[in-house]
């Protein structure tokens, strides 16, 4: 089964963009996943191809119209289409590694890239869009966020990463940030690779890596550390 991604955007030329590079690009060429970028403006009905209108009740900016976006979503949704529908939105739930794995295990995803002040709430509810955020900041549109989400998903698809363990030992996979990494040369600018990593004792190396992950998580992400401790006790 090929993972299928359908993007709804006002700027389809932004895709595949960086997704055509490196692992995701090679996987796209192999057919491990597919990507289509659909222009929301194609569903406009006036000669100006308008897709937005002023906010009801007044206020700044414009709002993406529900009738136009609704038609665009319906057009890319096939019969018995089980793909989740995401709306990239700063008010959405934070996107996590766990969510990336959940989506990677599915048939694909439909992603709506928000623009303007927002999207009419009626199409969010009527088309059951799941609002997702990649961080507590504002972007010009959802396209960059969609790239982030797809990149994190595609690399988890079977066969995309050369070493399966690479994905399983990364930050967030076990609730912790990743441990420090070292490679050759053994000495660099007066600093050496930690001796334990040269010991060949994999049990001690694993223990050192876990301790370092815990230390870094406690220092940098107390929120993750708190959750990790609670899950460890549970």
């Amino acid at each position: 089964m090929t993972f299928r991604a359908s993007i709804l955007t006002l700027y389809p030329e932004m895709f595949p963009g960086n997704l055509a590079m490196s692992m995701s690009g090679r996987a796209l060429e192999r057919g491990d996943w597919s990507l289509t970028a659909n222009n929301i403006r194609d569903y406009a009905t006036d000669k100006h191809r308008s897709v937005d209108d002023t906010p009801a009740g007044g206020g700044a900016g414009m709002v993406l119209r529900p009738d136009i976006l609704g038609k665009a979503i319906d057009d890319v949704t096939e019969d018995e289409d089980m793909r989740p529908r995401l709306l990239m939105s700063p008010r959405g739930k934070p996107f996590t590694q766990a969510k990336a794995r959940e989506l990677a295990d599915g048939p694909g995803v439909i992603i709506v890239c928000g623009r303007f002040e927002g999207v009419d709430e009626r199409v969010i509810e009527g088309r059951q869009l799941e609002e997702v955020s990649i961080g507590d900041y504002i972007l010009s549109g959802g396209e960059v966020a969609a790239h982030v989400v797809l990149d994190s998903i595609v690399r988890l698809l079977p066969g995309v990463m050369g070493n399966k363990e690479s994905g399983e030992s990364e930050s967030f996979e076990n609730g912790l940030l990743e441990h420090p990494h070292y490679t050759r040369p053994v000495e660099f600018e007066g600093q050496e690779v930690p001796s334990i990593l040269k010991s060949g004792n994999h049990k001690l190396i694993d223990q050192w890596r876990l301790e370092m992950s815990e230390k870094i998580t406690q220092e940098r992400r107390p929120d993750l550390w708190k959750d990790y401790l609670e899950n460890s006790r549970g």
Side-chain angles (χ1 to χ4, degrees):
M1 178 181 65
T2 298
F3 183 93
R4 296 183 300 116
S6 297
I7 310 297
L8 291 167
T9 172
L10 293 174
Y11 299 96
E13 62 273 17
M14 292 180 69
F15 295 89
N18 64 288
L19 296 169
M21 309 296 175
S22 190
M23 291 188 300
S24 59
R26 291 191 293 270
L28 190 60
E29 291 178 355
R30 289 195 304 265
D32 294 341
W33 71 292
S34 66
L35 171 67
T36 57
N38 306 272
N39 195 337
I40 298 171
R41 208 173 290 280
D42 290 343
Y43 300 90
T45 56
D46 66 338
K47 65 178 181 179
H48 301 294
R49 302 179 76 203
S50 304
V51 296
D52 56 332
D53 210 331
T54 55
M62 304 291 280
V63 177
L64 198 57
R65 287 174 46 164
D67 52 343
I68 294 170
L69 183 55
K71 285 191 296 183
I73 295 170
D74 293 344
D75 193 48
V76 302
T77 304
E78 301 174 359
D79 293 339
E80 300 182 4
D81 198 329
M82 300 302 293
R83 291 179 297 168
R85 302 166 177 176
L86 308 184
L87 169 63
M88 305 315 303
S89 165
R91 74 176 194 178
K93 293 181 179 179
F95 187 72
T96 63
Q97 185 70 9
K99 185 65 175 179
R101 282 207 170 272
E102 175 190 324
L103 293 171
D105 288 337
V109 66
I110 296 171
I111 300 181
V112 177
C113 300
R115 280 275 164 176
F116 313 119
E117 286 300 308
V119 174
D120 190 296
E121 192 70 22
R122 291 169 295 178
V123 76
I124 296 176
E125 295 176 356
R127 297 302 184 276
Q128 297 180 316
L129 302 182
E130 179 183 354
E131 295 184 70
V132 173
S133 170
I134 64 166
D136 295 338
Y137 45 85
I138 306 299
L139 299 170
S140 299
E143 288 77 15
V144 172
H147 277 277
V148 170
V149 167
L150 283 175
D151 184 271
S152 65
I153 295 170
V154 170
R155 62 194 303 277
L156 298 176
L157 297 177
V160 174
M161 276 192 289
N163 186 345
K164 184 174 181 288
E165 292 182 0
S166 295
E168 295 175 348
S169 62
E170 293 175 323
S171 291
F172 310 113
E173 287 293 348
N174 61 354
L176 296 171
L177 299 180
E178 200 168 5
H179 56 78
H181 293 279
Y182 298 88
T183 186
R184 289 185 290 271
V186 173
E187 182 179 343
F188 173 69
E189 296 184 347
Q191 292 187 319
E192 290 194 3
V193 172
S195 58
I196 193 169
L197 299 180
K198 300 179 287 183
S199 68
N201 188 324
H202 295 292
K203 183 176 180 179
L204 289 179
I205 290 172
D206 288 343
Q207 181 62 34
W208 179 86
R209 286 174 171 167
L210 175 60
E211 290 173 356
M212 293 303 297
S213 287
E214 291 177 338
K215 180 176 182 292
I216 290 171
T217 304
Q218 188 175 13
E219 292 174 350
R220 302 180 186 179
R221 291 292 301 273
D223 55 327
L224 292 179
W225 178 246
K226 179 181 178 182
D227 291 340
Y228 175 74
L229 291 179
E230 291 177 354
N231 292 331
S232 298
R233 297 190 192 103

